[in-house]
Amino acid sequence: MKKKIKWIGLLLGFIVLLCLFQYQINNDDSWKSWNLPLSGKIIYIDPGHGGVDGGASSGDLLEKDVALDVSLRIRDYLQEQGALVMMTREGDHDLAAKETKGLSRRKAEDLRKRVEMINNSEADFYLSIHLNAIPSARWSGAQSFFYGQYEENERAAKFIQDELKRNLENTTRKAKRVHGIYLIQNIKKPGALVELGFLSNPEEAEQLGKPKYQDKIAASVYKGVLRYFTEDKDPPE
């Protein structure tokens, strides 16, 4: 009987120690998590195009693919700092319904769905990721854009652009106010549109297809978003 009581006591002691140990681990993890700079922030990333809509191109390099690759890298950077990141797409598809026919109709429905997803979320911030292309091959450089509905939009775009200039060292472009772009004009959340570069410029297109350069761009955008959330001072012009 005494042996039985002794074993029961040892077992109860072990359970208490195990609970205390588990609590300590969970408490430490929770403490570290809530001390990350982006803890509690919800960020929506929108990689442009997808599916039948490849966007701009340079040979076999398509806007939809580069936009997604860079967006996934941005997501990883943001998550490492505690943010909850959602994405309008994580694969090669658009958001239009399967039964919707015609490229123009699919593109229109796709854009509406992206706006609805972000507006109906609890997101604190959004990023729309695209690439540029124009008839002339002379233009190059990543650039952030903002719609003037929210003061925060300009602030965010300027922080992002400052990091793009600082880290890529291949552009002097400034954050630019734009009008008439359906997506950013209809989203009711603070955020920015980032054009990662010009696929119509052969040299820049070659860089945009390289994973190392894509990671450099992603890190720059991430640092800009981090500064937007953590810095009190105004962004550089």
Side-chain angles (χ1 to χ4, degrees):
M1 185 67 179
K2 289 182 179 179
K3 286 185 177 180
K4 188 175 181 181
I5 293 172
K6 182 179 178 181
W7 279 110
I8 292 173
L10 288 172
L11 181 61
L12 289 173
F14 176 76
I15 292 172
V16 170
L17 286 172
L18 183 63
C19 291
L20 288 172
F21 181 72
Q22 187 173 3
Y23 172 79
Q24 184 67 33
I25 291 175
N26 291 338
N27 193 48
D28 285 348
D29 288 347
S30 176
W31 178 256
K32 289 176 183 177
S33 173
W34 284 102
N35 274 277
L36 292 172
L38 296 179
S39 290
K41 301 301 181 185
I42 302 174
I43 299 173
Y44 230 121
I45 302 179
D46 173 47
H49 307 280
V52 294
D53 179 14
S57 64
S58 177
D60 294 332
L61 190 65
L62 300 178
E63 177 179 3
K64 66 174 183 176
D65 297 326
V66 179
L68 179 59
D69 289 343
V70 173
S71 293
L72 291 171
R73 294 170 187 269
I74 296 171
R75 177 200 64 186
D76 292 346
Y77 278 117
L78 292 170
Q79 286 180 337
E80 286 175 0
Q81 297 305 316
L84 171 62
V85 182
M86 298 181 289
M87 298 185 67
T88 55
R89 68 179 180 99
E90 295 185 78
D92 183 16
H93 58 83
D94 62 15
L95 275 63
K98 289 183 179 180
E99 60 270 18
T100 302
K101 304 298 182 183
L103 181 58
S104 61
R105 290 183 63 195
R106 291 194 67 85
K107 289 179 71 170
E109 184 178 331
D110 174 70
L111 284 173
R112 289 196 301 270
K113 289 285 182 65
R114 291 171 192 261
V115 169
E116 288 172 8
M117 286 176 70
I118 298 172
N119 282 343
N120 293 335
S121 74
E122 298 297 321
D124 300 292
F125 188 81
Y126 80 91
L127 286 168
S128 185
I129 306 298
H130 286 261
L131 288 88
N132 244 322
I134 57 175
S136 173
R138 63 177 291 197
W139 303 108
S140 65
Q143 188 169 17
S144 60
F145 296 86
F146 62 94
Y147 182 62
Q149 183 177 12
Y150 299 105
E151 183 179 338
E152 299 99 312
N153 292 358
E154 181 175 0
R155 188 169 179 272
K158 286 183 175 179
F159 274 130
I160 293 170
Q161 191 63 36
D162 188 55
E163 290 297 329
L164 290 169
K165 289 165 62 177
R166 184 202 311 271
N167 298 307
L168 301 183
E169 299 181 320
N170 61 6
T171 182
T172 58
R173 293 180 175 276
K174 296 182 178 181
K176 185 177 180 180
R177 183 189 300 267
V178 289
H179 299 278
I181 296 178
Y182 178 85
L183 188 92
I184 64 174
Q185 192 164 312
N186 286 276
I187 291 178
K188 309 302 182 185
K189 308 278 186 180
L193 163 67
V194 184
E195 297 278 357
L196 305 178
F198 285 77
L199 288 174
S200 49
N201 180 286
E203 291 79 15
E204 188 163 43
E206 183 179 359
Q207 291 299 312
L208 287 164
K210 296 179 179 179
K212 187 175 181 179
Y213 188 73
Q214 292 177 1
D215 192 65
K216 201 172 183 179
I217 296 176
S220 301
V221 175
Y222 146 71
K223 288 177 181 176
V225 174
L226 183 63
R227 290 176 64 188
Y228 163 76
F229 279 111
T230 60
E231 289 190 13
D232 293 330
K233 64 180 181 181
D234 292 332
E237 292 297 329

